[in-house]
Each structure stands twice: as structure tokens, then as C-alpha cells.
Amino acid sequence: MNIISVQSERSLMKLVVIAFLFACFVLEAQAATRLKIVASRAPIYSIVSLLSDGIGHDIQLALPLGEDSNSLTTSSLKHTRFSSLVFMYDTKLDKFIVDNRKLYKNAKRIRLGNATRQWIYANNSNFDDVSVSVLRDKNYAWLSPSEAIRMASIIERELIAADPQSSDRYQKNMKKFVTNIRDIVKTIRKKFSDEFIGSNTLFFIGYDLKYFISYFNLGNNFMAEFSAAILQRSANQNDDMICVVDEGQLNERDKRFITNKLNLQVADIDPDRYAQSDMKVTPFILHNYYFYNLRYIANTIARCART
């Protein structure tokens, strides 16, 4: 009886050891395909996260919401070490990441935009490991749905190259992303058409707002940088002008001039200012940040027009 018990215990122990080794093998296989990915800004983080949905990669945001590129330090980027892929967009952040080679020495760095600075890459051998995507012009992701789809296609390609066994999942997520982009564009266009287009005149200030107002046919009242003379002349010519939409160009003195001297409202659509609002940024919101941000911009403009 004792001999049988000993044999049973030994058999059980063998099964436990086999199960343990199998579990270790599975975990090791999963870890081998689990990538650590860095995204420079929240809209890019959102696109990477949406395309990686259901796969379980470790995705890190290099620049926290509400912070400017000027606040970057090597210490603030320590959480992004040992990454496999780094997706960049902002010029200052690009340069900072490339200058910190030790931090990302084994990572493939993919530059997603801003071709106005492409000559830096074309004429500097230090950038030979950075994939450059050619754009006709500077065009920020959070202000152009078509740009988001273009960048998502690059991100999808890089994810498949780094993790080919999950290619079906990436392709499925990409189709879903494109469908959601098209749906939200239809919703925004209907909102603008139903609520205010043709009733009041808005003025837009910011380098990249021209893509948004062109995409959604919001008129031609636009300037890249603030000019009191141009804005005042435009306000005098348009009696129905009621609001100025600012991408982040205006300082407090400019805003006081617009509100006190021109008697116009000012609406901020700077994504970083949105991040500093009362809304708590949860992992779910960060995951869907691109869509939240696009809705926020559309709703802010609509409220501005109804003022």
C-alpha cells in the first residue's frame, strides 16, 4: 500500500513538473512576441494601441499629456528604455530621441511625419536607422483624419514586420480603425452642416488648422500665426464673425485683445490644453484618445459658432 502511494506521489510530481515546464514555455513564447513600443504623443499612442488591441504589447507614452517637448529630459524617458519600436512625429521629440541613442540603441525608430524637416535626415548620416515617411507638407495627426489613416497604415506595416504571427489581428484592427474614422468624419460633417455652417463666421489661427478647416469645408478665414491687424480687418469685413478658434498660438495678451477690443470669443483646441481639462484621462480614454480628441475639437468649434 505504501509502495503504491509513493509511486502515485512520484507520478503526480512528474505531472506537476511537466505542467510547470509547459507553462514556462507558453509564457516565454508569449513574452517573445510581446513588444515594448514607444509613442511620442497621445494621438500616436492611441493609433498604436488601437491597432494592437487584443495582442497585449507594452505601449509607453514618451511625452505625457499636457507636457511640451521642451520639458523632455533623459530621466523623463527612462520608462521607455529597452523598446522594440519607437513611433515619432514631433520634430523636437524626434531630435531628442535620436540624440539619446543609448536609450533606444536596439529600437527601430519610425518617423511618421513632418517632411518640412526631412532635409535634416537626408543630409545627416546619424539618422540612417530612422524610417522617414515623405509628406507633401506638415500635417498633424490630430487635425486630419486622412493623415491618421496614412500613419496607421505605416504603423500596421511596422507591427506586422515585428510580429508577423499576429498579422491577421493587426489587419482586422486596421479595418476597424478606418471604419471608425469614416464614421466619425460623417458624424462631424453632419454636425457642422446641421448646426452652424453658413450662419456665423469663424476665424481660425494655427499652422495645422488649415488641414482641418479644409477637410471639413469650414471656410477660408485662416492665418498660420496671429496678426492683430489681419484679424481686425477680417472682423470689420465680416459683421457675423463671432469667434476665433485657436490651435495654441495665442498668448493671454492676444486673447484679451480679441475679447476686449474686437468683442469676439476665443475657443482653444490645443490637444495639450484638452489634456489639462477637468476630464480624468483614464487608460480607456488614452486608448481611444484620437477619437475623443477629434470629437472634442468638433464640439468646441460647434459651441464657438453657436455663441
Side-chain angles (χ1 to χ4, degrees):
M1 189 71 178
N2 291 335
I3 295 175
I4 295 175
S5 298
V6 171
Q7 289 177 340
S8 299
E9 288 179 3
R10 287 177 178 174
S11 298
L12 182 60
M13 285 298 295
K14 286 181 180 179
L15 289 174
V16 170
V17 170
I18 292 171
F20 175 77
L21 293 174
F22 178 77
C24 290
F25 174 79
V26 171
L27 289 174
E28 185 177 353
Q30 290 176 342
T33 58
R34 187 171 185 262
L35 305 175
K36 183 170 183 179
I37 303 170
V38 176
S40 62
R41 293 259 188 186
I44 296 176
Y45 175 99
S46 177
I47 296 173
V48 174
S49 182
L50 289 165
L51 294 188
S52 303
D53 190 35
I55 298 174
H57 294 321
D58 178 12
I59 307 171
Q60 298 289 330
L61 181 60
L63 191 67
L65 283 170
E67 291 191 16
D68 188 77
S69 301
N70 294 323
S71 64
L72 280 171
T73 64
T74 302
S75 178
S76 67
L77 287 175
K78 283 185 177 179
H79 67 289
T80 66
R81 288 182 300 179
F82 313 116
S83 301
S84 303
L85 298 171
V86 180
F87 292 103
M88 306 176 290
Y89 199 93
D90 181 76
T91 303
K92 291 180 181 178
L93 188 57
D94 288 352
K95 187 177 185 306
F96 192 88
I97 288 176
V98 172
D99 287 345
N100 285 268
R101 287 181 169 273
K102 291 183 179 179
L103 207 59
Y104 305 105
K105 62 180 180 179
N106 295 319
K108 182 177 182 181
R109 287 163 287 182
I110 300 95
R111 185 171 177 263
L112 296 170
N114 199 352
T116 55
R117 303 286 183 178
Q118 186 179 340
W119 63 270
I120 296 176
Y121 290 80
N123 295 283
N124 191 328
S125 60
N126 291 331
F127 291 81
D128 57 3
D129 63 335
V130 181
S131 298
V132 178
S133 172
V134 178
L135 283 177
R136 285 190 296 270
D137 202 352
K138 187 179 179 185
N139 186 354
Y140 276 130
W142 44 89
L143 292 177
S144 172
S146 59
E147 168 70 351
I149 292 176
R150 185 198 67 81
M151 290 201 310
S153 66
I154 296 173
I155 293 170
E156 177 197 20
R157 181 191 67 207
E158 296 295 340
L159 290 173
I160 291 175
D163 178 25
Q165 68 185 48
S166 302
S167 59
D168 290 345
R169 187 75 184 193
Y170 295 129
Q171 291 167 359
K172 180 181 178 181
N173 289 341
M174 179 65 184
K175 288 180 181 178
K176 183 179 178 181
F177 179 78
V178 172
T179 298
N180 289 340
I181 287 283
R182 289 173 176 166
D183 288 345
I184 197 172
V185 165
K186 289 179 183 177
T187 300
I188 291 174
R189 281 184 171 151
K190 187 174 188 306
K191 170 186 280 291
F192 288 162
S193 177
D194 292 347
E195 295 189 14
F196 71 89
I197 293 301
S199 58
N200 293 311
T201 299
L202 304 180
F203 203 97
F204 299 87
I205 302 175
Y207 285 103
D208 308 293
L209 263 171
K210 62 181 178 180
Y211 297 99
F212 189 88
I213 64 177
S214 174
Y215 196 92
F216 291 105
N217 302 313
L218 299 182
N220 299 314
N221 291 314
F222 158 81
M223 58 182 170
E225 293 182 323
F226 176 67
S227 166
I230 293 176
L231 182 57
Q232 188 162 18
R233 184 164 61 248
S234 182
N236 292 338
Q237 294 172 352
N238 295 278
D239 294 335
D240 59 349
M241 184 179 290
I242 59 171
C243 187
V244 174
V245 181
D246 172 38
E247 184 195 321
Q249 296 284 332
L250 300 176
N251 56 38
E252 292 304 317
R253 185 180 65 178
D254 297 335
K255 291 180 182 179
R256 285 195 298 270
F257 169 80
I258 293 170
T259 55
N260 298 334
K261 298 294 184 180
L262 301 183
N263 198 30
L264 300 173
Q265 300 290 326
V266 177
D268 293 324
I269 64 163
D270 186 345
D272 286 338
R273 293 181 186 172
Y274 168 54
Q276 296 171 9
S277 67
D278 294 334
M279 179 187 235
K280 183 178 179 182
V281 180
T282 64
F284 177 80
I285 289 178
L286 194 57
H287 174 73
N288 295 280
Y289 187 82
Y290 180 80
F291 297 109
Y292 274 93
N293 196 56
L294 204 59
R295 289 191 193 98
Y296 154 75
I297 292 172
N299 290 336
T300 301
I301 292 174
R303 283 197 303 270
C304 186
R306 292 195 303 267
T307 304

